[in-house]
Every structure is written in structure tokens, then in C-alpha cells.
Amino acid sequence: MNRRFGTGLMVSAVALLMGMSNAWADATISLRFNDSERKEMRAALDEFEAANPGIKVELQTIAWKDSRDQFLREAAVGQGPDVVHIAFVWTQEMAEAGAVLPLDELTQYGEFANGFDDFIATDLTMYDGKAYGVPWTADTWAVVYRTDVLEEAGIEALPKSWTDLRKVSETIKEKTGKTGFAFAAANQMWFPVNYYIWSNGGNFIESDGEGGFQVGVTEDQVANAMNYFKGYIDDGLAPRSILSIDQPHDPALLQALLEGNQAIAMMPTNTYRQLLSAYEETYSGEPVPFTSGILMEGTEGPKTHLGGRTLVVNSNTEYPEESWKLLQYLASAPLFEKYYTNQFPAQKSLLDQIEYRKEETGFSTQLANNTRTWGAYAESGVGVGPLWNLTSRSFGTALSGQTPPEDAAEELIAEINRMLEK
């Protein structure tokens, strides 16, 4: 992606770094990072250390599926990394647990160049009237297409509905013998499942209109979603091996797209950029045979989540000032310009300056017009993390054939109701 950030922001960030030089005695702090750009992040931290000889930063990495629970366990006993990379919707839960510091205890060490209001989705950082995190990146999911495989199968128009997607996948299988649509059917089923449910008018949790919360989807709707995705596996339209795939960037999925053996997938922004980069490196000089489009619609329009990553400071840190300065650097324009290039910054002043590639049109349209927050999922007190784990397990048993979809749907709804009653 080509980014051209404002000169003023670049200068401010560099001045911040240079002004921090020699500010402290030796301190070693840690950053826990969940994404795949580990090499790039280490290079960014090296730059930070060079500008701040008194601070060393240890880079810790962990899988997204483990990161939430691991940090909550550590923080509860006074441990854990100093600066932590989390999901938007985990902030309130971590604030309630006392695991992270409120920003009003950190801004004494320095403000952001354009203020906190320059960040998007700041409402998701709030707990009991205070902000506890800094939105770091903004993203969503969209649909990625291998255009030459569509052409080979005689597909001229991109599918608009979930029904269309199924028909196109059948046509691709029949005409080419290749996979049409495949997906990560383990832990990350949480995302396409919600998109399917939302596009058909449902919510796993919604407001009850009286200050409380209730289940907003029927057992039949959940069973229909399970049967829809299960059908791709049962009917041989997607390989059964996807049941063990946990991430959309799993090499098994990306390689099939890269080699032209699969036509369609759903994925977040950073995964798509990894795919585009891998293609350009592997097939240097050849036209890129990918495009992107918005998600499928059901009885209602297509919806994905407004997602992203947040940075927080551990309430147990011995170095709050150094941790805050690192966080400020991580949220600066140079980081996104040079190192974290697969992500959209969660700042209005930087988002306004992004130039999208033509292959990214679906993502920019989805992000601008067809996203929603997790809303009641987080506000209900149940929490996105527990609901995510529960839903993924239920869909996993249904898609694998361990439990009939109707039974799995009944059990899922019953468990969500129990969680709401606690």
C-alpha cells in the first residue's frame, strides 16, 4: 500500500523520539505483540531504542487466540508485559479487571500531537468514565477473489448474497475442479458466523430496550448458519482439512489462493496485504489476479465488524513513563509508514491520507459503509472473548459432525442465556 502521511506528523513524531534521548536511566520494558509482522516490529523497536539509549524493549509474541486469557492471568498476579497489544473490544474487560492503567495517569508524561480525539472508536476504550487504551489500528474483513479462476469458470459477476456464493462455488468446482470458497473453520469461524447472522437480522446479544440485554437470534437462525457453512464441507466444495485451520492467514489457505487452486476467501485487511505481497514476490512483474468485494448479504445488507487493535499499559508496570513513550511511538506516523504497513492506523489524520490500491476497493468500501461495532456483545458484561470462544466451539462441533446443528444451536443459545443471567 502507498501511504503518504503529512509532513507535520512525521516531524512531530521524530521530534518526540529525539527529545526522549537520554531522558532516563537504563530501563527494560516489554511489548507483547500478536500479529505476524514480528520482524518488522523488531526493526521498529530497534529504531525506538536507538533514539532512546536508556530504554531497551523486549518483544514478546503470542497467538491471538491465547493473548487475552494469558494477559488476564498474568495481570491478576502482578505480572505480564508492560505494553500490550489487544483487540478493541477487550479494553473494557481488562479495565474492569484492574489489569491496565487509565490514560489520565499516563498523559502526564506527554500528549498525542493531535489529541486523543484524533483516534477512532475511543468509546470502546472507556470504562467507568475513563479511557484505558489507545486505539492503534482499524480494520475489517472483506471478500477476496482470484479473478483468473472466476474467469476460467465463466463467472462474470461477483456474488452478492450467501446463496450466490454457494452457487458460484458449485460452478467453480464443476467447471474447473478447484475450490470455490473455503474458510478457517476453527477459532476464526467467529467472524463469518457473525457476518452471516447480522446480514440475516440477528445478533447473539442485543439490547432488550429496558436497560438490559437478551439473545437476539433464534435457534433456527443459528442452525441455518451452521448448516450453511457445514454444507461446503459435506458436499466437497471445500476440503475437510479446513476444520483444523485456525487463522485466515494459515499457509494452507493462502497457498491455495496464491497458486490459483482456490477462488474465494474472507479475510481481514492485513491478511490480504500479505497475500498481495506474496504474489508479487513469487510472480514478479506479472499482473496481480486478485480483487476484493464487500461481504455477502442475507435478508438484510452486508455487515462486518469495525475491528482493530488497541495498545494498553499494564497496571503492574514498574516503568509507566517509559511504557507510555513507547506507546506514543507505536502510534506515530513513521511506524505505519515504514514497519506496520499491513494495517490501517486508527487515527483520523492518518486514515484521511491513505491511498488504496485498486485491488483493495472492497476493503475500503466495507470499512466506510458496511461495518458495525460489537456493541451489546461487550456492553452486556458477557464480553466478546468468552462469547467468541463459546460460539467457535459450538460451530466446531456442528461443522465436524460431532453434534447435529439443531442440537448445537440449542445448546449455544442456552449457554448464552446462562451467561447473561450471571
Side-chain angles (χ1 to χ4, degrees), residues 120-194:
I120 67 170
T122 55
D123 57 313
L124 296 177
T125 72
M126 303 300 293
Y127 174 73
D128 200 22
K130 293 184 177 182
Y132 282 81
V134 175
W136 193 22
T137 70
D139 64 26
T140 194
W141 285 42
V143 189
V144 169
Y145 299 93
R146 177 92 188 206
T147 54
D148 54 350
V149 179
L150 296 181
E151 183 179 354
E152 183 182 356
I155 306 296
E156 298 181 354
L158 301 182
K160 293 184 177 181
S161 69
W162 296 100
T163 300
D164 292 343
L165 179 61
R166 166 75 191 213
K167 291 178 179 177
V168 165
S169 197
E170 291 172 348
T171 299
I172 291 169
K173 187 71 172 180
E174 178 185 349
K175 299 290 188 181
T176 71
K178 298 178 179 179
T179 298
F181 171 55
F183 47 95
N187 184 266
Q188 296 287 313
M189 272 304 295
W190 166 253
F191 294 102
V193 163
N194 273 283

Side-chain angles (χ1 to χ4, degrees), residues 27 50 95 98 243 256:
L243 289 168

Side-chain angles (χ1 to χ4, degrees), residues 40 59 89 145 240 300 398:
E40 293 81 1
L59 178 62
V89 290
Y145 299 93
R240 191 169 182 81
E300 300 186 12

Side-chain angles (χ1 to χ4, degrees), residues 324-360:
W324 181 244
K325 294 304 179 183
L326 171 62
L327 190 153
Q328 288 181 290
Y329 165 72
L330 293 173
S332 69
L335 182 97
F336 292 100
E337 178 76 29
K338 297 166 61 178
Y339 302 111
Y340 208 22
T341 58
N342 284 332
Q343 297 290 343
F344 293 152
Q347 296 168 62
K348 300 166 192 172
S349 56
L350 301 187
L351 280 171
D352 287 344
Q353 299 176 54
I354 290 176
E355 296 181 10
Y356 296 96
R357 293 177 52 154
K358 64 182 179 63
E359 294 90 357
E360 296 177 335

Side-chain angles (χ1 to χ4, degrees), residues 9-207:
L9 288 171
M10 296 285 287
V11 170
S12 297
V14 172
L16 169 68
L17 290 176
M18 298 310 294
M20 288 162 54
S21 298
N22 303 314
W24 300 280
D26 289 346
T28 298
I29 60 176
S30 52
L31 166 68
R32 180 166 293 164
F33 181 67
N34 309 333
D35 283 333
S36 59
E37 296 94 337
R38 297 168 185 175
K39 179 180 178 182
E40 293 81 1
M41 190 55 59
R42 183 63 260 175
L45 297 178
D46 290 344
E47 178 179 277
F48 175 81
E49 290 179 347
N52 299 275
I55 306 177
K56 297 296 182 185
V57 185
E58 172 193 348
L59 178 62
Q60 301 177 5
T61 58
I62 191 171
W64 271 106
K65 65 184 180 66
D66 302 320
S67 59
R68 170 188 163 273
D69 293 345
Q70 176 71 14
F71 177 61
L72 286 173
R73 286 193 296 267
E74 292 170 329
V77 295
Q79 299 178 2
D82 298 278
V83 180
V84 193
H85 172 205
I86 66 172
F88 269 176
V89 290
W90 296 349
T91 315
Q92 294 171 353
E93 181 183 7
M94 291 180 174
E96 184 177 14
V100 296
L101 288 174
L103 296 196
D104 62 8
E105 293 185 20
L106 296 165
T107 52
Q108 62 178 306
Y109 304 122
E111 300 280 355
F112 290 101
N114 292 288
F116 190 59
D117 289 342
D118 187 43
F119 293 85
I120 67 170
T122 55
D123 57 313
L124 296 177
T125 72
M126 303 300 293
Y127 174 73
D128 200 22
K130 293 184 177 182
Y132 282 81
V134 175
W136 193 22
T137 70
D139 64 26
T140 194
W141 285 42
V143 189
V144 169
Y145 299 93
R146 177 92 188 206
T147 54
D148 54 350
V149 179
L150 296 181
E151 183 179 354
E152 183 182 356
I155 306 296
E156 298 181 354
L158 301 182
K160 293 184 177 181
S161 69
W162 296 100
T163 300
D164 292 343
L165 179 61
R166 166 75 191 213
K167 291 178 179 177
V168 165
S169 197
E170 291 172 348
T171 299
I172 291 169
K173 187 71 172 180
E174 178 185 349
K175 299 290 188 181
T176 71
K178 298 178 179 179
T179 298
F181 171 55
F183 47 95
N187 184 266
Q188 296 287 313
M189 272 304 295
W190 166 253
F191 294 102
V193 163
N194 273 283
Y195 305 157
Y196 186 95
I197 294 290
W198 291 345
S199 72
N200 285 291
N203 287 283
F204 283 113
I205 298 177
E206 65 183 12
S207 170

Side-chain angles (χ1 to χ4, degrees), residues 209-409:
E210 300 178 356
F213 299 91
Q214 63 186 12
V215 174
V217 65
T218 67
E219 292 176 10
D220 284 345
Q221 286 176 305
V222 174
N224 285 340
M226 290 175 171
N227 280 312
Y228 177 82
F229 291 104
K230 187 173 186 291
Y232 285 91
I233 300 168
D234 290 352
D235 298 339
L237 299 176
R240 191 169 182 81
S241 59
I242 65 172
L243 289 168
S244 62
I245 293 180
D246 198 45
Q247 298 287 343
H249 59 257
D250 187 284
L253 279 181
L254 292 190
Q255 197 65 26
L257 290 164
L258 189 63
E259 295 178 351
N261 295 318
Q262 179 179 323
I264 309 169
M266 294 176 187
M267 60 184 66
T269 312
N270 62 319
T271 300
Y272 184 41
R273 291 192 173 142
Q274 291 174 32
L275 177 64
L276 292 176
S277 295
Y279 186 88
E280 289 170 337
E281 290 175 8
T282 305
Y283 304 99
S284 179
E286 295 189 19
V288 176
F290 291 103
T291 192
S292 58
I294 61 174
L295 257 288
M296 309 304 149
E297 60 186 39
T299 57
E300 300 186 12
K303 285 293 179 185
T304 57
H305 73 294
L306 173 59
R309 293 144 175 80
T310 298
L311 293 172
V312 294
V313 175
N314 190 335
S315 59
N316 300 301
T317 182
E318 297 179 6
Y319 300 104
E321 184 173 3
E322 292 88 340
S323 297
W324 181 244
K325 294 304 179 183
L326 171 62
L327 190 153
Q328 288 181 290
Y329 165 72
L330 293 173
S332 69
L335 182 97
F336 292 100
E337 178 76 29
K338 297 166 61 178
Y339 302 111
Y340 208 22
T341 58
N342 284 332
Q343 297 290 343
F344 293 152
Q347 296 168 62
K348 300 166 192 172
S349 56
L350 301 187
L351 280 171
D352 287 344
Q353 299 176 54
I354 290 176
E355 296 181 10
Y356 296 96
R357 293 177 52 154
K358 64 182 179 63
E359 294 90 357
E360 296 177 335
T361 302
F363 285 85
S364 60
T365 303
Q366 189 77 40
L367 187 61
N369 303 320
N370 298 290
T371 59
R372 49 159 284 179
T373 68
W374 296 106
Y377 291 20
E379 298 163 4
S380 66
V382 170
V384 174
L387 190 59
W388 176 339
N389 292 338
L390 172 65
T391 303
S392 296
R393 286 195 301 269
S394 295
F395 270 77
T397 62
L399 268 60
S400 65
Q402 298 176 56
T403 306
E406 292 71 22
D407 293 346

